[in-house]
Amino acid sequence: MTLRSRIVGTGSFLPEHISTNDDMAKIVETSDAWIVERTGIRVRHFADENTYTSTMAIKAAEEALKVAGMTGDDLDAIVLGTVTPDKTFPATAVYVQAALGMKHGCAFDVVAACSGFLYSLRAADNMIRLGQAKTVLVIGSEKVSKVTDFTDRNTCVLFGDGAGCVILKAGEGKGDVSDSGVLDTLIYSDGTYAPELCSTGGASTNHEVGFVSMNGREVFRHAAVNMADVSLEILEKNGISLSDVDWLVPHQANIRIIEATAKRLNVPMDRVICTVDQHANTSAASIPLALADGIKSGKLKKGQLLLLPGMGSGFTWGASLIRL
Ligand code: ACO
């Protein structure tokens, strides 16, 4: 008998305010044509002053709890991926814990930028596999607009705000790939690439929150390669061939990165969930937002095998294999 983390609920939240590429062109020298051609992004959602990373996480969590037929008190742990916390400390996850009325267990944040959901998922899945928790809420929530320099056209058009989450519940499996739930998650980092994509600020350096600083070409070059390579590795490790994968649900940074990853994997684009046109890059929220979107639209169905690759600042990257 193997303990598996079954997905019993998903939720998402996008702030009401939508900013189009034409809106961005009023702020910096850019155009809808440039943004669409280079990134595939058409619109992004921006949170208002009173909507924090925790606010969005709580909304997504409430939706997932409703789907799962649970209350906050049914959760043993909350793991929240974010690089845009409400405060430097405590963890944003504890605000979510309090709002959901969860009075036991633990809640903590994971800092892995765009790989934040995959890192959080691995931590949560390990807790379940080890019998340390039975039910875990895994969230990716980001208010990237707060670390975006709206005078820098190289970065400000790329990002958006939002939150997505899953609720994992322990269930018994056979221990092979026919099981439903999280089958495996691989995560990696290489800190020598930290300067290529980082914040310009930090509590222990300059006492500032900072803005996104990015070497776009270097990120682009590594993203498709890392996401494809880790995808192949996790498939090989689990004895699964690409033709067995029903859907690729990749990190949504740029349609060209998604297409390049799919091409390297030889997966046709009609088996790839793409939300980057509507959400832009929401960092740790991007994969769970895409997952929730795929489920809500009816594309992703129970029993299907999903491959979720991601890559972000650090560099961090990874992939998860999930049977719904
Ligand atoms: N509007 C118009 N022109 C722009 C804009 C803009 N918003 N931004 C940059 N440009 C200009 C540049 O200034 C440059 O002009 P120049 O030649 O006169 O200097 C020109 O466009 C071309 O710039 P490139 O860097 O060659 O453009 P590229 O085709 O590489 O696209 C992009 C840039 C979209 C940033 C691309 O490199 C990319 O997607 N990189 C990955 C970045 C990313 O997704 N980061 C997200 C976080 S990491 C992650 O999630 C994986």
Side-chain angles (χ1 to χ4, degrees):
M1 195 271 288
T2 305
L3 277 175
R4 292 291 194 193
S5 306
R6 301 251 158 76
I7 295 183
V8 293
T10 54
S12 60
F13 177 79
L14 290 159
E16 211 173 301
H17 178 71
I18 291 174
S19 180
T20 65
N21 291 342
D22 288 337
D23 293 332
M24 298 307 291
K26 290 178 195 145
I27 304 171
V28 286
E29 204 183 322
T30 189
S31 65
D32 177 57
W34 192 96
I35 300 171
V36 171
E37 189 200 322
R38 303 293 178 111
T39 73
I41 296 165
R42 292 183 184 277
V43 300
R44 69 287 290 146
H45 293 247
F46 287 141
D48 63 29
E49 276 306 310
N50 301 318
T51 303
Y52 308 144
T53 293
S54 65
T55 322
M56 295 186 281
I58 292 160
K59 298 257 192 217
E62 285 170 345
E63 188 176 274
L65 284 169
K66 201 170 166 199
V67 172
M70 292 178 178
T71 68
D73 219 30
D74 294 321
L75 302 170
D76 301 320
I78 298 174
V79 189
L80 188 152
T82 192
V83 288
T84 50
D86 289 13
K87 298 188 181 214
T88 307
F89 66 88
T92 301
V94 302
Y95 295 112
V96 180
Q97 180 188 29
L100 298 181
M102 174 188 162
K103 293 238 172 349
H104 65 283
C106 63
F108 59 94
D109 288 1
V110 169
V111 181
C114 301
S115 310
F117 181 74
L118 294 174
Y119 271 61
S120 302
L121 193 66
R122 162 113 156 207
D125 184 37
N126 283 346
M127 281 193 269
I128 286 180
R129 282 175 194 250
L130 289 171
Q132 295 168 343
K134 283 199 171 68
T135 312
V136 186
L137 171 63
V138 187
I139 314 174
S141 185
E142 302 275 19
K143 191 171 177 178
V144 193
S145 58
K146 274 289 181 192
V147 292
T148 302
D149 176 357
F150 283 96
T151 65
D152 176 14
R153 70 175 182 174
N154 290 293
T155 53
C156 74
V157 301
L158 302 175
F159 298 99
D161 302 335
C165 69
V166 298
I167 296 176
L168 303 179
K169 191 171 190 301
E172 289 181 11
K174 289 187 286 185
D176 62 31
V177 294
S178 69
D179 286 346
S180 61
V182 180
L183 300 180
D184 201 3
T185 304
L186 296 179
I187 52 171
Y188 292 109
S189 62
D190 182 344
T192 59
Y193 290 102
E196 307 297 348
L197 177 56
C198 58
S199 167
T200 57
S204 75
T205 50
N206 58 5
H207 195 238
E208 287 174 5
V209 172
F211 291 116
V212 175
S213 159
M214 181 184 75
N215 179 347
R217 283 195 186 170
E218 192 66 4
V219 173
F220 194 100
R221 206 165 63 80
H222 282 83
V225 175
N226 288 358
M227 281 163 60
D229 285 357
V230 73
S231 295
L232 293 174
E233 186 189 342
I234 198 167
L235 290 174
E236 193 183 339
K237 183 176 167 231
N238 289 278
I240 293 173
S241 81
L242 262 170
S243 56
D244 294 329
V245 174
D246 293 294
W247 288 96
L248 205 60
V249 189
H251 169 51
Q252 309 282 320
N254 180 318
I255 193 67
R256 291 190 299 147
I257 294 177
I258 295 172
E259 284 170 350
T261 305
K263 196 169 170 201
R264 283 180 83 90
L265 293 172
N266 218 4
V267 172
M269 285 304 287
D270 62 5
R271 278 170 53 208
V272 184
I273 298 290
C274 289
T275 52
V276 66
D277 58 329
Q278 296 300 311
H279 301 170
N281 184 348
T282 56
S283 184
S286 111
I287 291 179
L289 270 170
L291 190 63
D293 205 79
I295 289 172
K296 279 179 195 166
S297 71
K299 284 183 179 166
L300 305 183
K301 297 184 178 71
K302 231 178 164 35
Q304 289 184 331
L305 188 60
L306 316 181
L307 177 58
L308 287 56
M311 140 100 192
S313 167
F315 288 152
T316 54
W317 66 99
S320 188
L321 257 181
I322 296 176
R323 190 177 297 285
L324 274 183

